[in-house]
Amino acid sequence: MRRGQVALYLVMVLVAIAVMMFANVNMFLAVRAKNRMMNAVDEAAIAAAKYQGELLNEIGRMNVEHLRAAVLGEPWTDGSGEDKTAAMRRLALFGPVEGVLRANDAAAAWGYPEGGPSDALNGFHDHISEIRNNPEFYPPGEDNVWGAYADALARALGGNPAVLPAYMEIVNPGATGLFAQRSFYDVLSAKAWCWFTVGNNAALLDLDPTAMQPPEINPVEVPENSEVFSLHLTFGGWMDSEWAEEWRGDGFSAKWTNFVCQVTGLAPEDFAKNSYAASETETWAFYDGNWKTWSTTFNPDNLPLAGHLKPEYDVAGCVAACMMIGYIPQIAEEDGFDQSKRMLVTADAKPFGTVEGLEGGGRVPVTDYGRFVAASRPGERIFTEAQLVLVGTVPRSPGVSMEPNWYNHVKKHSPQHPDGSCSYCKLWREWSQESFRRSIRSWLEANKGSCRPKGGPGPVMKGGYEYAH
């Protein structure tokens, strides 16, 4: 061996060892950062879900207080004489916004006092500007409620919060139809053409995407729920609820009487003091249609669920979906040192609670009282715990995911001008080509017999069909 070759080989070995060392350190930093971020976002989601439960407990308490006052023929007003129903409505609209602050307090305890700028945060502030600057779409309403709501969002999302709501049920989303269905893009991305054999989806292959009209944006009424961490409540008259059939014309049924006595602590003879009827002038809080049976909203066979979901907890209801956008330090990159990589993590949590069934029926779902928001006994809390749940298993009202690329696609792009660089725009441009849709038709013609149903009604990509390619 010639002189100097040993030194050359030694240098090469040392370089290889250094590269391996940097790679291992980078991997360690990535795993540690991911674990810390996941712990932080988990705690944030649980904190927000607990606060949702606190709000529901307070609204339930007020709801029963209102019921008791109505049966006794007493006014239900605050010190100024104002009907306290308005206070319940304000709690449902403004209360969950406070959950954003609770979530960030929880993240701060894990070492994330603040985050950094992101498209998602910009999207929230864009929406706040839309509310303030578009009176034709967001009329001020009573007491300038839209302006007050925008102010509340701005306070909660001021600065650089580490945790953001992962989903916003925007009252006026501004994008509808096929263009705004994220699951459709999942189909295009995975080339899961068997999806077009389900229902009327095959008709989409004959649409001309370039001829789609812009979505209509119409003036909206003041919402009953916050757009972030929604409680999914509705406020209405007694005769508009599931309890309407308990009115017999000259009095209420025994079931209704037992219910009132149980939740208010009144005695049956209290009804004799006031011939209370289902007055259309009274407004009550009810759980809305999102509080459906949880197990029917997904296919359990295709989710890694362990154990058994007790019937009394089988309610979907509301959820606190949180996201964090953090940066993982990297000590060595191709472009140099001291680089960082962005990571997005999410977590869902929801409040849980049950009530005692009428006539000693054991623990039952909170919706069992005709969707009337109430605890089993005076002074009780309805929701007593909050737990993490699988992301995406709790249904939500139509809205926009705050995942940055998706939000930008829906809010800032349109079917006529999908010129953004996001992956969704690229998929839409590909879909807009007739030759592309023709290739899908050809594949289905040759392979549609291999699209085999599997399982129940799960998400588009899993559970509905076993894709043959």
Side-chain angles (χ1 to χ4, degrees), residues 12 15 20 34 36 62 96 101 107 214 220 226 245 278 290 301 328 339 348 367 375 400 438:
M12 294 173 62
V15 169
M20 294 175 62
K34 180 180 179 181
R36 288 184 65 236
M62 296 174 72
L101 301 176
V220 296
S226 170
E245 63 183 26
N290 285 274
D301 293 337
I328 300 174
Q339 302 292 314
D348 283 10
T367 54
V400 175
R438 187 165 54 246

Side-chain angles (χ1 to χ4, degrees), residues 412-414 416-422 425 429:
K412 298 182 178 181
H413 309 152
S414 74
Q416 286 71 33
H417 305 286
D419 53 359
S421 60
C422 73
C425 287
R429 287 195 291 270

